Amino acid sequence: MKFCKKYQEYMQGQEKKLPGVGFKKLKKILKRCRKNSPSQKPRNAPFAAKTCPDQCPVCDGTFFPSLLNEMSDVVGSFNQRAQKLLELHLASGFRKYFFWIKDRLQGNHTALVQEGKDLVTYALINAIAIRKILKKYDKIHYSKQGQLFKSQVQSMHKEILQSPWLCELMAFHINLRETKVKSRKAHALFDGCSLTIKDGKPSLTCELFDSIKLDVDLTCSICLDTVFDPVSLTCGHIFCYICACSAASVSIVNGLKSADSKKKCPLCREDSVYEGAVHLEELNILLGRSCQEYWEQRLETERVERIKQIKEHWDSQCRAFVGV
């Protein structure tokens, strides 16, 4: 079965209508463009000998804008659903029951795993659809503009495999596998997903179908240790929360949302990346279980630093109040 047909069947088989890539529509656009193209690549010419025409209507106003809007909708839907699932998993007491009643979800282990599997499948099949349609674009136009567009989309944070919520789902899967399913067969969200520690440096690795592989480095590039209380900036880079606050020149009391929009990521130097930072709670739980000795040492160090910053904050507030 061709991927286009498989993709259409998958999207049509969803209970709720979800945003997706207009794979069939985009293929028709490319077919129309190929028919209207006045020139073709010479039979023995190298790949780079001919690029997409300067005034190709597909490039200028149809193909890429349409695909970008669809990618934005897919990432937005995935992030929202993943966030809701993980909030349900991490909730406790009355809040957890409130989520169950509100969303009419059966609040048990099986329901959580199934929702996680559905989210992973949704993310992967759309990632593959995007990759395939861009390859087809380059094949038809004898260009590399499809790959350039992919790079631009990654810098705009519209690539679904860059989502911090996918990293959280990976940690979520490992946490479930190592705790609630010890006495029974584990339900796999990912094949070959694991936390590996090499030379004291941890990383999340996951081999997905259709040759997609994820490898998330879990070393903070500021303190050069395993990320503690990790946060993912909107650019996708992961740091310790206290290190991110330091880089943004804010106290832990005020938090990253108070950071100046001009402050840049220490790695990629992109600005406006702190306000929308995501706290990686599932990853924090996973690392705490896997690196217990380091975690206890770091917890004590962080506690001292947090108390110091809180004291300094309230001292400055008191001085401001009395006008000193």
Side-chain angles (χ1 to χ4, degrees):
M1 182 186 296
K2 290 186 177 180
F3 179 79
C4 181
K5 187 175 180 181
K6 183 179 179 181
Y7 180 76
Q8 294 296 326
E9 288 183 357
Y10 167 79
M11 294 302 295
Q12 291 171 4
Q14 301 303 301
E15 292 182 5
K16 295 181 180 179
K17 187 175 181 180
L18 299 173
V21 178
F23 203 85
K24 198 171 183 179
K25 177 190 71 177
L26 293 171
K27 284 184 70 177
K28 286 182 178 179
I29 293 174
L30 293 178
K31 188 175 181 180
R32 186 166 61 248
C33 175
R34 180 164 49 184
K35 286 181 178 179
N36 296 336
S37 180
S39 59
Q40 296 292 332
K41 177 188 174 186
R43 182 167 293 181
N44 297 321
F47 181 80
K50 181 179 183 295
T51 60
C52 185
D54 293 335
Q55 296 182 347
C56 174
V58 174
C59 294
D60 294 345
T62 309
F63 183 85
F64 289 132
S66 178
L67 181 56
L68 180 60
N69 289 335
E70 290 166 353
M71 291 176 72
S72 299
D73 292 341
V74 167
V75 171
S77 175
F78 172 78
N79 288 346
Q80 185 179 22
R81 292 172 63 201
Q83 183 176 5
K84 183 181 289 188
L85 170 69
L86 294 169
E87 282 180 352
L88 174 60
H89 180 235
L90 294 169
S92 60
F94 175 78
R95 187 164 176 258
K96 190 164 192 172
Y97 285 107
F98 173 77
F99 276 122
W100 290 348
I101 295 170
K102 180 181 177 182
D103 299 313
R104 296 180 182 179
L105 282 174
Q106 183 182 0
N108 57 32
H109 171 70
T110 304
L112 289 174
V113 170
Q114 186 58 49
E115 178 68 12
K117 289 170 70 175
D118 292 343
L119 277 170
V120 171
T121 303
Y122 176 73
L124 296 184
I125 200 166
N126 277 285
I128 294 169
I130 292 164
R131 185 174 68 175
K132 285 186 177 294
I133 199 66
L134 288 175
K135 280 186 176 180
K136 191 167 188 68
Y137 180 94
D138 282 345
K139 182 178 179 181
I140 288 174
H141 291 83
Y142 308 107
S143 74
K144 293 185 178 179
Q145 294 212 20
Q147 295 305 309
L148 291 174
F149 172 77
K150 186 177 180 181
S151 299
Q152 292 170 357
V153 167
Q154 288 175 346
S155 66
M156 296 165 65
H157 319 305
K158 303 297 183 184
E159 168 61 65
I160 197 165
L161 295 181
Q162 286 182 313
S163 171
W165 296 108
L166 186 57
C167 178
E168 274 286 81
L169 280 176
M170 292 166 66
F172 165 70
H173 160 61
I174 299 174
N175 287 334
L176 286 180
R177 185 179 65 193
E178 293 182 352
T179 54
K180 295 184 179 181
V181 295
K182 280 185 177 180
S183 61
R184 51 185 166 170
K185 185 178 179 181
H187 298 270
L189 300 187
F190 308 85
D191 291 329
C193 180
S194 61
L195 175 69
T196 58
I197 301 176
K198 186 177 181 180
D199 298 327
K201 304 295 182 182
S203 63
L204 272 179
T205 59
C206 187
E207 295 183 4
L208 310 171
F209 60 86
D210 203 52
S211 303
I212 296 178
K213 184 177 181 179
L214 298 179
D215 194 352
V216 183
D217 184 14
L218 300 178
T219 300
C220 175
S221 60
I222 297 177
C223 66
L224 303 181
D225 273 327
T226 300
V227 287
F228 181 87
D229 193 14
V231 291
S232 175
L233 307 186
T234 56
C235 59
H237 293 119
I238 299 174
F239 302 95
C240 306
Y241 177 71
I242 201 165
C243 292
C245 287
S246 176
S249 301
V250 297
S251 71
I252 58 172
V253 179
N254 293 325
L256 293 175
K257 289 186 177 181
S258 63
D260 191 327
S261 60
K262 294 181 181 179
K263 291 294 181 179
K264 299 180 179 180
C265 170
L267 275 179
C268 64
R269 309 306 298 165
E270 183 176 339
D271 56 18
S272 304
V273 293
Y274 292 98
E275 187 177 355
V278 175
H279 238 112
L280 304 177
E281 301 287 356
E282 291 283 354
L283 181 59
N284 193 48
I285 294 170
L286 174 61
L287 290 172
R289 288 172 176 163
S290 304
C291 313
Q292 291 184 6
E293 185 178 347
Y294 164 77
W295 219 248
E296 290 174 1
Q297 294 174 355
R298 186 68 184 266
L299 188 62
E300 185 60 33
T301 305
E302 293 275 323
R303 185 182 290 113
V304 172
E305 181 61 27
R306 286 171 185 259
I307 292 173
K308 177 185 174 183
Q309 289 197 29
I310 291 170
K311 186 177 182 298
E312 290 175 351
H313 172 78
W314 286 112
D315 284 347
S316 65
Q317 291 293 312
C318 290
R319 286 194 298 269
F321 180 76
V322 298
V324 177

Coordinates of all heavy atoms in Angstrom, one line a residue, residues 59-119:
C59 N 6.4 27.3 -5.5 CA 7.3 27.9 -4.4 C 6.8 29.2 -3.9 O 6.8 29.4 -2.7 CB 8.7 28.1 -5.0 SG 9.6 26.6 -5.5
D60 N 6.3 30.1 -4.8 CA 6.0 31.4 -4.4 C 4.8 31.6 -3.6 O 4.7 32.4 -2.7 CB 5.9 32.3 -5.6 CG 7.2 32.5 -6.4 OD1 8.2 32.1 -5.8 OD2 7.2 32.9 -7.5
G61 N 3.7 30.8 -3.8 CA 2.5 31.1 -3.1 C 1.6 29.9 -2.8 O 0.5 30.2 -2.3
T62 N 2.0 28.7 -3.2 CA 1.0 27.6 -3.0 C 1.6 26.5 -2.1 O 1.0 26.3 -1.0 CB 0.6 27.0 -4.3 OG1 0.2 28.0 -5.2 CG2 -0.5 26.0 -4.2
F63 N 2.6 25.9 -2.5 CA 3.1 24.7 -1.8 C 3.6 24.9 -0.4 O 3.1 24.4 0.6 CB 4.2 24.0 -2.7 CG 4.7 22.7 -2.1 CD1 4.0 21.5 -2.4 CD2 5.8 22.7 -1.3 CE1 4.5 20.3 -1.8 CE2 6.3 21.5 -0.8 CZ 5.6 20.3 -1.0
F64 N 4.7 25.7 -0.3 CA 5.3 25.9 1.0 C 4.4 26.7 2.0 O 4.4 26.2 3.2 CB 6.6 26.7 0.8 CG 7.7 25.8 0.2 CD1 8.5 26.3 -0.9 CD2 8.0 24.6 0.6 CE1 9.4 25.5 -1.5 CE2 8.9 23.8 0.1 CZ 9.7 24.3 -1.0
P65 N 3.7 27.7 1.6 CA 2.8 28.3 2.6 C 1.7 27.4 3.1 O 1.4 27.4 4.3 CB 2.2 29.5 1.9 CG 3.2 29.8 0.8 CD 3.7 28.5 0.4
S66 N 1.2 26.6 2.2 CA 0.2 25.6 2.6 C 0.7 24.6 3.6 O 0.1 24.2 4.6 CB -0.4 24.9 1.4 OG -1.4 23.9 1.8
L67 N 1.9 24.0 3.3 CA 2.5 23.0 4.1 C 2.9 23.6 5.5 O 2.8 23.0 6.5 CB 3.8 22.5 3.4 CG 4.6 21.4 4.1 CD1 3.7 20.2 4.5 CD2 5.8 20.9 3.3
L68 N 3.4 24.9 5.5 CA 3.8 25.5 6.8 C 2.6 25.6 7.7 O 2.7 25.4 8.9 CB 4.4 26.9 6.5 CG 4.9 27.6 7.7 CD1 5.9 26.9 8.5 CD2 5.4 29.0 7.3
N69 N 1.4 26.1 7.1 CA 0.2 26.2 8.0 C -0.2 24.8 8.5 O -0.6 24.7 9.7 CB -0.9 26.8 7.1 CG -0.7 28.3 6.8 OD1 0.0 29.0 7.6 ND2 -1.2 28.7 5.7
E70 N -0.1 23.8 7.7 CA -0.5 22.5 8.1 C 0.4 21.9 9.2 O 0.0 21.3 10.2 CB -0.6 21.5 6.9 CG -1.7 21.8 6.0 CD -1.5 21.1 4.6 OE1 -0.5 20.5 4.4 OE2 -2.5 21.1 3.8
M71 N 1.7 22.2 9.1 CA 2.7 21.8 10.1 C 2.5 22.5 11.4 O 2.5 21.9 12.5 CB 4.1 22.0 9.6 CG 4.5 21.1 8.4 SD 6.2 21.6 7.8 CE 7.2 21.0 9.1
S72 N 2.1 23.8 11.3 CA 1.8 24.5 12.6 C 0.6 23.9 13.3 O 0.6 23.8 14.5 CB 1.6 26.0 12.2 OG 2.7 26.6 11.6
D73 N -0.4 23.6 12.5 CA -1.6 23.0 13.1 C -1.3 21.7 13.8 O -1.8 21.3 14.8 CB -2.7 22.9 12.1 CG -3.2 24.3 11.6 OD1 -3.0 25.3 12.3 OD2 -3.8 24.3 10.5
V74 N -0.5 20.8 13.1 CA -0.2 19.5 13.6 C 0.6 19.6 14.9 O 0.3 18.9 15.9 CB 0.6 18.7 12.5 CG1 1.2 17.5 13.1 CG2 -0.3 18.3 11.4
V75 N 1.6 20.5 14.9 CA 2.4 20.6 16.1 C 1.6 21.2 17.3 O 1.7 20.7 18.4 CB 3.7 21.5 15.8 CG1 4.4 21.9 17.1 CG2 4.6 20.9 14.9
G76 N 0.8 22.2 17.0 CA -0.1 22.7 18.0 C -1.0 21.7 18.6 O -1.2 21.6 19.8
S77 N -1.6 20.9 17.8 CA -2.6 19.8 18.2 C -1.8 18.8 19.1 O -2.3 18.4 20.2 CB -3.3 19.2 17.1 OG -4.1 18.1 17.5
F78 N -0.7 18.4 18.6 CA 0.1 17.4 19.3 C 0.6 17.9 20.7 O 0.4 17.2 21.7 CB 1.4 17.0 18.5 CG 2.3 16.1 19.3 CD1 2.1 14.8 19.4 CD2 3.5 16.6 19.8 CE1 3.0 13.9 20.1 CE2 4.4 15.8 20.5 CZ 4.1 14.5 20.7
N79 N 1.1 19.1 20.7 CA 1.5 19.7 22.0 C 0.4 19.8 23.0 O 0.6 19.5 24.2 CB 2.2 21.1 21.8 CG 3.5 21.0 21.1 OD1 4.1 19.9 21.0 ND2 4.0 22.1 20.6
Q80 N -0.8 20.2 22.5 CA -1.9 20.4 23.4 C -2.4 19.1 24.0 O -2.6 19.0 25.2 CB -3.0 21.1 22.7 CG -4.2 21.5 23.5 CD -5.3 22.1 22.7 OE1 -5.4 22.0 21.5 NE2 -6.2 22.9 23.4
R81 N -2.5 18.1 23.2 CA -2.9 16.8 23.6 C -1.9 16.1 24.5 O -2.3 15.5 25.6 CB -3.2 15.9 22.4 CG -4.4 16.3 21.6 CD -4.5 15.5 20.3 NE -4.7 14.0 20.6 CZ -4.4 13.1 19.7 NH1 -3.9 13.3 18.5 NH2 -4.7 11.8 20.0
A82 N -0.6 16.2 24.2 CA 0.4 15.7 25.1 C 0.5 16.3 26.4 O 0.6 15.7 27.5 CB 1.8 15.8 24.4
Q83 N 0.3 17.6 26.4 CA 0.3 18.4 27.7 C -0.8 18.0 28.6 O -0.7 17.8 29.8 CB 0.2 19.9 27.4 CG 0.3 20.8 28.7 CD 0.3 22.2 28.3 OE1 0.2 22.7 27.2 NE2 0.5 23.0 29.4
K84 N -2.0 17.8 28.0 CA -3.2 17.4 28.8 C -3.0 16.0 29.3 O -3.3 15.7 30.5 CB -4.4 17.4 27.9 CG -5.7 17.1 28.6 CD -6.9 17.1 27.7 CE -7.3 18.5 27.3 NZ -8.6 18.5 26.5
L85 N -2.4 15.1 28.5 CA -2.2 13.7 29.0 C -1.2 13.7 30.2 O -1.5 13.0 31.2 CB -1.6 12.8 27.8 CG -1.1 11.5 28.2 CD1 -2.3 10.5 28.6 CD2 -0.3 10.8 27.1
L86 N -0.1 14.4 30.0 CA 0.9 14.4 31.1 C 0.4 15.1 32.3 O 0.8 14.7 33.4 CB 2.2 15.0 30.5 CG 2.8 14.1 29.4 CD1 3.9 14.9 28.7 CD2 3.3 12.8 30.0
E87 N -0.4 16.1 32.2 CA -1.0 16.7 33.4 C -1.9 15.8 34.1 O -1.9 15.7 35.3 CB -1.8 18.0 32.9 CG -1.0 19.2 32.6 CD -1.9 20.4 32.2 OE1 -3.1 20.2 32.0 OE2 -1.3 21.5 32.1
L88 N -2.6 14.9 33.4 CA -3.5 13.9 34.0 C -2.6 12.9 34.7 O -3.0 12.5 35.8 CB -4.3 13.2 32.9 CG -5.2 12.0 33.4 CD1 -6.2 12.5 34.5 CD2 -5.9 11.4 32.2
H89 N -1.5 12.5 34.1 CA -0.7 11.5 34.7 C 0.0 12.0 36.0 O 0.1 11.2 37.0 CB 0.4 11.0 33.7 CG 1.3 10.0 34.2 ND1 2.7 10.1 34.3 CD2 1.1 8.8 34.8 CE1 3.2 9.1 34.8 NE2 2.3 8.2 35.1
L90 N 0.4 13.2 36.0 CA 1.1 13.8 37.1 C 0.2 14.4 38.2 O 0.6 14.7 39.3 CB 2.1 14.9 36.6 CG 3.2 14.4 35.8 CD1 4.0 15.6 35.1 CD2 4.2 13.5 36.6
A91 N -1.1 14.5 37.9 CA -2.0 15.1 38.8 C -2.3 14.2 40.0 O -2.0 13.0 39.9 CB -3.4 15.4 38.1
S92 N -2.7 14.8 41.1 CA -3.0 13.9 42.3 C -4.3 14.4 43.0 O -4.7 15.6 42.8 CB -1.8 14.0 43.2 OG -1.6 15.3 43.7
G93 N -4.9 13.6 43.8 CA -6.0 14.0 44.6 C -7.2 14.5 43.8 O -7.5 13.9 42.7
F94 N -7.8 15.5 44.3 CA -9.0 16.1 43.6 C -8.8 16.5 42.2 O -9.6 16.4 41.3 CB -9.6 17.2 44.5 CG -10.7 17.9 43.8 CD1 -12.0 17.4 43.9 CD2 -10.6 19.1 43.1 CE1 -13.1 18.0 43.3 CE2 -11.6 19.8 42.5 CZ -12.9 19.2 42.6
R95 N -7.6 17.1 42.0 CA -7.3 17.6 40.6 C -7.3 16.4 39.6 O -7.7 16.6 38.5 CB -5.9 18.2 40.6 CG -5.5 18.9 39.3 CD -4.3 19.9 39.6 NE -3.9 20.5 38.4 CZ -2.8 20.1 37.7 NH1 -2.1 19.1 38.1 NH2 -2.5 20.7 36.6
K96 N -6.8 15.3 40.0 CA -6.8 14.1 39.1 C -8.2 13.7 38.7 O -8.6 13.5 37.6 CB -6.0 13.0 39.7 CG -5.8 11.8 38.7 CD -4.7 10.9 39.3 CE -4.2 9.9 38.2 NZ -3.1 9.2 38.6
Y97 N -9.1 13.6 39.7 CA -10.5 13.3 39.5 C -11.2 14.3 38.7 O -12.1 14.0 37.9 CB -11.2 13.0 40.8 CG -10.8 11.7 41.5 CD1 -10.0 11.7 42.6 CD2 -11.3 10.5 41.0 CE1 -9.7 10.5 43.2 CE2 -10.9 9.3 41.5 CZ -10.1 9.3 42.7 OH -9.7 8.1 43.2
F98 N -10.8 15.6 38.9 CA -11.4 16.6 38.1 C -11.1 16.5 36.6 O -12.0 16.6 35.7 CB -10.9 18.0 38.6 CG -11.3 19.2 37.7 CD1 -12.6 19.7 37.8 CD2 -10.4 19.7 36.8 CE1 -13.0 20.7 37.0 CE2 -10.8 20.8 36.0 CZ -12.1 21.3 36.1
F99 N -9.9 16.1 36.3 CA -9.5 15.8 34.9 C -10.2 14.7 34.3 O -10.7 14.7 33.2 CB -8.0 15.6 34.8 CG -7.1 16.8 34.7 CD1 -6.1 17.0 35.7 CD2 -7.3 17.7 33.7 CE1 -5.3 18.2 35.6 CE2 -6.5 18.9 33.6 CZ -5.5 19.1 34.6
W100 N -10.4 13.6 35.1 CA -11.1 12.4 34.6 C -12.6 12.8 34.3 O -13.1 12.4 33.2 CB -11.1 11.3 35.7 CG -9.8 10.7 35.9 CD1 -8.7 10.8 35.2 CD2 -9.4 9.9 37.0 NE1 -7.6 10.2 35.7 CE2 -8.0 9.6 36.9 CE3 -10.1 9.4 38.1 CZ2 -7.4 8.8 37.8 CZ3 -9.4 8.6 39.0 CH2 -8.0 8.3 38.8
I101 N -13.2 13.5 35.1 CA -14.6 13.9 34.9 C -14.7 14.8 33.7 O -15.6 14.7 32.9 CB -15.2 14.5 36.2 CG1 -15.3 13.5 37.3 CG2 -16.6 15.0 35.9 CD1 -15.6 14.0 38.7
K102 N -13.9 15.8 33.7 CA -14.0 16.8 32.6 C -13.8 16.2 31.2 O -14.5 16.6 30.3 CB -12.9 17.9 32.9 CG -12.9 19.0 31.8 CD -11.8 20.0 32.1 CE -11.7 21.1 31.0 NZ -10.6 22.0 31.3
D103 N -12.8 15.3 31.1 CA -12.5 14.8 29.8 C -13.1 13.4 29.5 O -12.9 12.8 28.5 CB -11.0 14.7 29.6 CG -10.3 16.0 29.7 OD1 -10.8 17.0 29.1 OD2 -9.4 16.2 30.5
R104 N -13.9 12.9 30.5 CA -14.5 11.6 30.4 C -13.5 10.5 30.1 O -13.8 9.6 29.2 CB -15.6 11.7 29.4 CG -16.8 12.6 29.8 CD -17.8 12.6 28.7 NE -18.9 13.6 29.1 CZ -20.0 13.8 28.3 NH1 -20.1 13.2 27.2 NH2 -20.9 14.7 28.7
L105 N -12.4 10.6 30.7 CA -11.4 9.6 30.5 C -11.4 8.6 31.6 O -11.7 8.9 32.7 CB -10.0 10.2 30.5 CG -9.6 10.9 29.2 CD1 -8.2 11.6 29.4 CD2 -9.5 10.0 28.0
Q106 N -11.2 7.3 31.2 CA -11.1 6.3 32.3 C -9.7 6.4 32.9 O -8.7 6.1 32.2 CB -11.3 4.9 31.7 CG -11.2 3.8 32.7 CD -11.3 2.4 32.1 OE1 -11.5 2.3 30.8 NE2 -11.3 1.4 32.9
G107 N -9.6 6.9 34.1 CA -8.3 7.2 34.7 C -7.5 6.0 35.2 O -7.3 5.9 36.4
N108 N -7.1 5.2 34.3 CA -6.3 4.1 34.7 C -5.1 3.9 33.8 O -4.9 4.7 32.8 CB -7.1 2.7 34.7 CG -7.7 2.5 33.3 OD1 -7.1 2.8 32.3 ND2 -8.9 1.9 33.3
H109 N -4.2 3.0 34.2 CA -2.9 2.8 33.5 C -3.1 2.5 32.0 O -2.5 3.1 31.1 CB -2.2 1.7 34.1 CG -1.0 1.3 33.4 ND1 0.2 2.0 33.3 CD2 -0.7 0.1 32.7 CE1 1.1 1.4 32.6 NE2 0.6 0.2 32.2
T110 N -4.1 1.6 31.7 CA -4.3 1.2 30.3 C -4.7 2.4 29.4 O -4.3 2.6 28.3 CB -5.4 0.1 30.2 OG1 -5.0 -1.0 31.0 CG2 -5.6 -0.4 28.8
A111 N -5.6 3.2 29.9 CA -6.1 4.4 29.2 C -5.0 5.4 28.9 O -4.9 5.9 27.8 CB -7.3 5.1 29.9
L112 N -4.1 5.6 29.9 CA -3.0 6.5 29.7 C -2.0 6.0 28.7 O -1.6 6.8 27.8 CB -2.3 6.7 31.0 CG -3.0 7.5 32.1 CD1 -2.2 7.5 33.4 CD2 -3.2 8.9 31.7
V113 N -1.7 4.7 28.7 CA -0.8 4.1 27.7 C -1.4 4.2 26.3 O -0.7 4.6 25.4 CB -0.5 2.7 28.1 CG1 0.2 2.0 27.0 CG2 0.3 2.6 29.4
Q114 N -2.7 3.9 26.2 CA -3.3 4.0 24.9 C -3.3 5.4 24.3 O -3.0 5.6 23.1 CB -4.7 3.4 24.9 CG -5.4 3.3 23.6 CD -4.7 2.4 22.6 OE1 -4.3 1.3 23.0 NE2 -4.4 2.9 21.4
E115 N -3.6 6.3 25.1 CA -3.5 7.7 24.7 C -2.1 8.1 24.3 O -1.9 8.8 23.3 CB -4.0 8.7 25.8 CG -4.0 10.1 25.4 CD -5.0 10.6 24.4 OE1 -5.9 9.7 24.0 OE2 -4.9 11.7 23.8
G116 N -1.1 7.7 25.0 CA 0.3 7.9 24.7 C 0.7 7.3 23.4 O 1.3 7.9 22.5
K117 N 0.2 6.1 23.1 CA 0.5 5.4 21.9 C -0.1 6.1 20.7 O 0.5 6.3 19.6 CB 0.0 4.0 21.9 CG 0.8 3.0 22.9 CD 0.1 1.7 23.1 CE 0.2 0.8 21.9 NZ -0.4 -0.5 22.1
D118 N -1.3 6.6 20.9 CA -2.0 7.3 19.8 C -1.3 8.6 19.5 O -1.2 9.0 18.3 CB -3.5 7.6 20.2 CG -4.3 6.4 20.3 OD1 -3.9 5.3 19.8 OD2 -5.4 6.5 21.0
L119 N -0.8 9.3 20.5 CA -0.1 10.5 20.3 C 1.2 10.3 19.5 O 1.6 11.1 18.6 CB 0.2 11.2 21.6 CG -0.9 12.1 22.2 CD1 -0.6 12.5 23.6 CD2 -1.1 13.3 21.4

